[in-house]
Amino acid sequence: MEVKLGIDKENRKGSVKLLSVVLADVTVLYFKTLNYHWNVRGFHFGPLHKLFKKQYEQLAEWIDEIAERIRMLGEFSPGSMKELLSLTRLEEDKGEGRAEKAMLSSLLADYEAIIRNLRVDIEVADDKFKDMGTSDFFTGLIQKHEQIAWMLRVHLEGNEKC
């Protein structure tokens, strides 16, 4: 069925490409967070295990929202790991033997990278593709990612000696 949202097909496809990259980034971050949840060790194991669980559960919700936004625009979401890994702007991490601080720092760097990338994606979605809905959607994602980045930053503050 034809999609009639007031955005021409080429612009919708452009927005879908942006969304697909964001989907890939958030999926890689999801798996990194899940991996850290499984492999965290050390003095702060309990609180970090719970923190990482809460974060990967939030990321799972956001992954679903991003994929659904792609479907709203009339396209199919990338769904294989191979496809997502080819799109992501982030790096995977095996998580083996990572210290608590290194895990937190790695996650913080990824959240902040996603935030910076989303700021650019907002302008492209709005200015180039005339898709204010996706632009607004990205703004909401920035706010969600900023909150977690802040929480990670606070965990790292005062622990420079760890």
Side-chain angles (χ1 to χ4, degrees), residues 132-143:
M132 287 76 73
T134 296
S135 179
D136 185 60
F137 179 78
F138 286 158
T139 300
L141 281 177
I142 284 177
Q143 294 169 342

PDB file of all heavy atoms in Angstrom, residues 132-143:
ATOM      1  N   MET A 132      10.213  16.175   9.388  1.00  0.00           N
ATOM      2  CA  MET A 132      10.203  16.698  10.750  1.00  0.00           C
ATOM      3  C   MET A 132       9.881  15.619  11.772  1.00  0.00           C
ATOM      4  O   MET A 132      10.337  15.691  12.914  1.00  0.00           O
ATOM      5  CB  MET A 132       9.206  17.855  10.888  1.00  0.00           C
ATOM      6  CG  MET A 132       9.662  19.150  10.218  1.00  0.00           C
ATOM      7  SD  MET A 132       9.501  19.152   8.416  1.00  0.00           S
ATOM      8  CE  MET A 132       7.754  19.283   8.186  1.00  0.00           C
ATOM      9  N   GLY A 133       9.115  14.607  11.378  1.00  0.00           N
ATOM     10  CA  GLY A 133       8.790  13.521  12.301  1.00  0.00           C
ATOM     11  C   GLY A 133      10.027  12.759  12.733  1.00  0.00           C
ATOM     12  O   GLY A 133      10.230  12.486  13.920  1.00  0.00           O
ATOM     13  N   THR A 134      10.877  12.423  11.765  1.00  0.00           N
ATOM     14  CA  THR A 134      12.112  11.711  12.096  1.00  0.00           C
ATOM     15  C   THR A 134      13.064  12.631  12.853  1.00  0.00           C
ATOM     16  O   THR A 134      13.732  12.205  13.798  1.00  0.00           O
ATOM     17  CB  THR A 134      12.764  11.133  10.826  1.00  0.00           C
ATOM     18  OG1 THR A 134      11.865  10.157  10.265  1.00  0.00           O
ATOM     19  CG2 THR A 134      14.103  10.468  11.117  1.00  0.00           C
ATOM     20  N   SER A 135      13.104  13.890  12.474  1.00  0.00           N
ATOM     21  CA  SER A 135      13.925  14.862  13.184  1.00  0.00           C
ATOM     22  C   SER A 135      13.508  14.941  14.655  1.00  0.00           C
ATOM     23  O   SER A 135      14.345  14.902  15.566  1.00  0.00           O
ATOM     24  CB  SER A 135      13.799  16.230  12.510  1.00  0.00           C
ATOM     25  OG  SER A 135      14.564  17.183  13.178  1.00  0.00           O
ATOM     26  N   ASP A 136      12.220  15.013  14.901  1.00  0.00           N
ATOM     27  CA  ASP A 136      11.697  15.050  16.264  1.00  0.00           C
ATOM     28  C   ASP A 136      11.980  13.739  16.999  1.00  0.00           C
ATOM     29  O   ASP A 136      12.334  13.736  18.186  1.00  0.00           O
ATOM     30  CB  ASP A 136      10.195  15.343  16.235  1.00  0.00           C
ATOM     31  CG  ASP A 136       9.623  15.501  17.619  1.00  0.00           C
ATOM     32  OD1 ASP A 136      10.070  16.409  18.350  1.00  0.00           O
ATOM     33  OD2 ASP A 136       8.719  14.716  17.978  1.00  0.00           O
ATOM     34  N   PHE A 137      11.847  12.632  16.293  1.00  0.00           N
ATOM     35  CA  PHE A 137      12.143  11.320  16.862  1.00  0.00           C
ATOM     36  C   PHE A 137      13.598  11.272  17.328  1.00  0.00           C
ATOM     37  O   PHE A 137      13.898  10.812  18.433  1.00  0.00           O
ATOM     38  CB  PHE A 137      11.856  10.231  15.818  1.00  0.00           C
ATOM     39  CG  PHE A 137      12.154   8.842  16.285  1.00  0.00           C
ATOM     40  CD1 PHE A 137      11.266   8.177  17.124  1.00  0.00           C
ATOM     41  CD2 PHE A 137      13.305   8.196  15.881  1.00  0.00           C
ATOM     42  CE1 PHE A 137      11.554   6.884  17.559  1.00  0.00           C
ATOM     43  CE2 PHE A 137      13.592   6.916  16.302  1.00  0.00           C
ATOM     44  CZ  PHE A 137      12.714   6.249  17.151  1.00  0.00           C
ATOM     45  N   PHE A 138      14.501  11.773  16.496  1.00  0.00           N
ATOM     46  CA  PHE A 138      15.919  11.815  16.858  1.00  0.00           C
ATOM     47  C   PHE A 138      16.154  12.702  18.078  1.00  0.00           C
ATOM     48  O   PHE A 138      16.986  12.388  18.934  1.00  0.00           O
ATOM     49  CB  PHE A 138      16.769  12.310  15.690  1.00  0.00           C
ATOM     50  CG  PHE A 138      16.964  11.305  14.574  1.00  0.00           C
ATOM     51  CD1 PHE A 138      17.290  11.748  13.305  1.00  0.00           C
ATOM     52  CD2 PHE A 138      16.837   9.945  14.773  1.00  0.00           C
ATOM     53  CE1 PHE A 138      17.493  10.852  12.260  1.00  0.00           C
ATOM     54  CE2 PHE A 138      17.022   9.031  13.739  1.00  0.00           C
ATOM     55  CZ  PHE A 138      17.364   9.492  12.481  1.00  0.00           C
ATOM     56  N   THR A 139      15.427  13.800  18.175  1.00  0.00           N
ATOM     57  CA  THR A 139      15.561  14.681  19.340  1.00  0.00           C
ATOM     58  C   THR A 139      15.200  13.921  20.617  1.00  0.00           C
ATOM     59  O   THR A 139      15.893  14.032  21.638  1.00  0.00           O
ATOM     60  CB  THR A 139      14.677  15.934  19.185  1.00  0.00           C
ATOM     61  OG1 THR A 139      15.088  16.639  18.016  1.00  0.00           O
ATOM     62  CG2 THR A 139      14.774  16.844  20.397  1.00  0.00           C
ATOM     63  N   GLY A 140      14.137  13.142  20.561  1.00  0.00           N
ATOM     64  CA  GLY A 140      13.753  12.321  21.708  1.00  0.00           C
ATOM     65  C   GLY A 140      14.828  11.311  22.069  1.00  0.00           C
ATOM     66  O   GLY A 140      15.110  11.081  23.257  1.00  0.00           O
ATOM     67  N   LEU A 141      15.450  10.716  21.051  1.00  0.00           N
ATOM     68  CA  LEU A 141      16.529   9.763  21.317  1.00  0.00           C
ATOM     69  C   LEU A 141      17.729  10.446  21.965  1.00  0.00           C
ATOM     70  O   LEU A 141      18.371   9.874  22.850  1.00  0.00           O
ATOM     71  CB  LEU A 141      16.977   9.077  20.018  1.00  0.00           C
ATOM     72  CG  LEU A 141      16.112   7.945  19.503  1.00  0.00           C
ATOM     73  CD1 LEU A 141      16.656   7.426  18.171  1.00  0.00           C
ATOM     74  CD2 LEU A 141      16.008   6.812  20.504  1.00  0.00           C
ATOM     75  N   ILE A 142      18.023  11.661  21.525  1.00  0.00           N
ATOM     76  CA  ILE A 142      19.132  12.400  22.140  1.00  0.00           C
ATOM     77  C   ILE A 142      18.875  12.559  23.634  1.00  0.00           C
ATOM     78  O   ILE A 142      19.757  12.314  24.461  1.00  0.00           O
ATOM     79  CB  ILE A 142      19.328  13.786  21.483  1.00  0.00           C
ATOM     80  CG1 ILE A 142      20.011  13.641  20.134  1.00  0.00           C
ATOM     81  CG2 ILE A 142      20.159  14.701  22.388  1.00  0.00           C
ATOM     82  CD1 ILE A 142      20.166  14.957  19.383  1.00  0.00           C
ATOM     83  N   GLN A 143      17.686  12.967  23.993  1.00  0.00           N
ATOM     84  CA  GLN A 143      17.372  13.185  25.400  1.00  0.00           C
ATOM     85  C   GLN A 143      17.530  11.895  26.208  1.00  0.00           C
ATOM     86  O   GLN A 143      18.063  11.914  27.322  1.00  0.00           O
ATOM     87  CB  GLN A 143      15.966  13.754  25.543  1.00  0.00           C
ATOM     88  CG  GLN A 143      15.846  15.149  24.959  1.00  0.00           C
ATOM     89  CD  GLN A 143      14.419  15.631  24.848  1.00  0.00           C
ATOM     90  OE1 GLN A 143      13.472  14.857  24.890  1.00  0.00           O
ATOM     91  NE2 GLN A 143      14.269  16.932  24.691  1.00  0.00           N
TER      92      GLN A 143
END
